[in-house]
Amino acid sequence: MSQHCNRFLVKSLLDVILFIEFSDQEHLDEDHGVELLEKIAYNFSLMEESFRQEISNIFLDFAEEYSSKESEFIRSLPDSLGLT
């Protein structure tokens, strides 16, 4: 898969993760959100280390494009999701 395609897919996933993290309970049940994030982390754990590192780097690249609150959260994702 091309680097451009990887970046697009990771950006799309990042937007979903941000929606889960920053949605209130009126829009998303907290337990369902946590369950989904755990599934994402599990799927990452099945990937080769080089792929996890690539995703981690892409997350960090995109962090600056978001608000400070979201950017801080994004910078914590590689550790939170077991990418590092």
Side-chain angles (χ1 to χ4, degrees), residues 11-46:
K11 172 80 163 80
S12 298
L13 178 60
L14 181 57
D15 288 336
V16 170
I17 292 171
L18 289 172
F19 175 80
I20 293 167
E21 178 65 21
F22 292 103
S23 289
D24 58 30
Q25 287 189 347
E26 182 178 317
H27 293 99
L28 179 69
D29 180 89
E30 186 176 338
D31 291 335
H32 289 99
V34 168
E35 182 179 337
L36 184 53
L37 290 174
E38 288 173 348
K39 287 180 182 179
I40 291 169
Y42 173 74
N43 288 329
F44 284 152
S45 76
L46 301 175

Side-chain angles (χ1 to χ4, degrees), residues 17 37 40-42 44-45 59 76-84:
I17 292 171
L37 290 174
I40 291 169
Y42 173 74
F44 284 152
S45 76
F59 279 163
S76 75
L77 281 176
D79 287 332
S80 300
L81 295 175
L83 293 171
T84 56

